Amino acid sequence: MAYEPPTHSVERSLRATTGAKIVVGIDEVGRGAWAGPVTVCAAVTGLRRPPTGLTDSKLLSPKKRTALAQELDSWVTAHALGHSSPEEIDDLGMTAALRLAATRALDALPVRPDAVILDGKYDYLGGPWTVRTVIKGDQSCVSVAAASVIAKVRRDAMMAELGAEHTDFCFGDNAGYPSPAHRAALRELGPTPHHRLSWAYMDGLPRWRHLKRFRSTSEPVGLEGEGQLGFDF
């Protein structure tokens, strides 16, 4: 299926309306997973013509995604990754964990952006950054699409390494997301040190429910509630 390629229209708009010279696109991966970190990529692309086939990472096959990520590594002006661990997700909640991962990615860039484009409708980053949220920005904005591909490929590789330590969970195939093999391993073996213990899927594990973690504070429905799938699906 053919998709409309992303453009620099939002990047150009931010430059024109805010005076920003350096605009960074941010996208995350791992928000809906049961295991592993949430990973954020911050990518600065300038206004150059993007590589052929660039789009939201979810629309690409693993082979195309991997090849494109290798091309993007040298094509982007700058990029950096930030992660929040399962423990931080449990302690802080997803919204704050995303903010932490995004801040780590931004701080790791060799340049300081003047403006940020976030994929989605929620501004989980906030000040001091000038933020523009764009729904489906990973399909429409060049910098966000680049961040999407790099983040997905890098996190998948991390999860494949964890899968070598926990073979029954098949992290190399499911990247920590729900799957039949993942559910079966959880029922039999219980969560690994890489699992998010505050999530709803723990309610469907009678043998391991005593391990569930609870936070003393809650965050607004939105990012916090997305992706927390239990076993009834």
Side-chain angles (χ1 to χ4, degrees), residues 73-98:
D73 277 342
S74 58
W75 178 82
V76 296
T77 303
H79 75 281
L81 294 172
H83 311 278
S84 285
S85 68
E87 293 84 358
E88 289 170 328
I89 294 169
D90 286 335
D91 290 341
L92 302 173
M94 182 52 71
T95 303
L98 277 170

Side-chain angles (χ1 to χ4, degrees), residues 9 15 49 86 88 101 108 124 127 132 156 159 165 176 197 199:
S9 62
R15 287 174 175 237
R49 184 175 181 176
E88 289 170 328
Y124 58 78
R132 175 80 60 85
D156 281 359
M159 294 306 297
E165 304 171 13
L197 300 182
W199 281 46

Side-chain angles (χ1 to χ4, degrees), residues 51 57 64 150 215:
S57 64
K64 289 183 178 179
I150 295 171
R215 287 184 290 112

Side-chain angles (χ1 to χ4, degrees), residues 71 130 205:
E71 186 175 358
T130 298
L205 300 172

Side-chain angles (χ1 to χ4, degrees), residues 99 102-103 106-107 112 116 118 123-132:
R99 185 181 305 118
T103 299
L106 289 166
D107 287 345
R112 181 175 176 84
V116 176
L118 277 183
D123 177 6
Y124 58 78
L125 185 59
W129 306 96
T130 298
V131 176
R132 175 80 60 85

Side-chain angles (χ1 to χ4, degrees), residues 8-231:
H8 294 292
S9 62
V10 178
E11 289 89 340
R12 293 183 188 278
S13 173
L14 277 168
R15 287 174 175 237
T17 58
T18 69
K21 294 182 179 180
I22 300 176
V23 178
V24 62
I26 285 184
D27 199 16
E28 53 73 28
V29 64
R31 189 168 68 200
W34 286 346
V38 63
T39 297
V40 170
C41 180
V44 181
T45 62
L47 299 177
R48 293 171 297 147
R49 184 175 181 176
T52 301
L54 179 63
T55 188
D56 173 13
S57 64
K58 295 185 293 295
L59 303 179
L60 298 169
S61 68
K63 183 178 180 180
K64 289 183 178 179
R65 217 168 29 225
T66 300
L68 189 55
Q70 292 175 348
E71 186 175 358
L72 288 169
D73 277 342
S74 58
W75 178 82
V76 296
T77 303
H79 75 281
L81 294 172
H83 311 278
S84 285
S85 68
E87 293 84 358
E88 289 170 328
I89 294 169
D90 286 335
D91 290 341
L92 302 173
M94 182 52 71
T95 303
L98 277 170
R99 185 181 305 118
L100 180 60
T103 299
R104 287 169 172 165
L106 289 166
D107 287 345
L109 286 171
V111 293
R112 181 175 176 84
D114 302 307
V116 176
I117 304 173
L118 277 183
D119 179 51
K121 62 181 178 180
Y122 297 105
D123 177 6
Y124 58 78
L125 185 59
W129 306 96
T130 298
V131 176
R132 175 80 60 85
T133 58
V134 179
I135 296 173
K136 294 189 177 180
D138 47 12
Q139 294 183 38
S140 60
C141 302
V142 168
S143 59
V144 180
S148 168
V149 172
I150 295 171
K152 173 65 174 169
V153 170
R154 295 290 182 82
R155 185 182 181 276
D156 281 359
M158 292 172 58
M159 294 306 297
E161 291 182 7
L162 294 180
E165 304 171 13
H166 304 279
T167 55
D168 291 305
F169 290 85
C170 300
F171 289 152
D173 296 324
N174 59 49
Y177 284 84
S179 75
H182 194 168
R183 291 195 293 271
L186 277 169
R187 289 191 183 100
E188 181 65 25
L189 303 172
T192 72
H194 309 294
H195 278 88
R196 304 168 187 182
L197 300 182
S198 62
W199 281 46
Y201 74 85
M202 290 292 294
D203 295 330
L205 300 172
R207 289 176 59 190
W208 312 104
R209 197 177 299 155
H210 63 285
L211 298 176
K212 184 171 182 177
R213 293 186 58 182
F214 296 90
R215 287 184 290 112
S216 58
T217 59
S218 60
E219 295 189 276
V221 174
L223 290 174
E224 189 66 10
E226 292 184 15
Q228 293 204 27
L229 300 174
F231 276 82

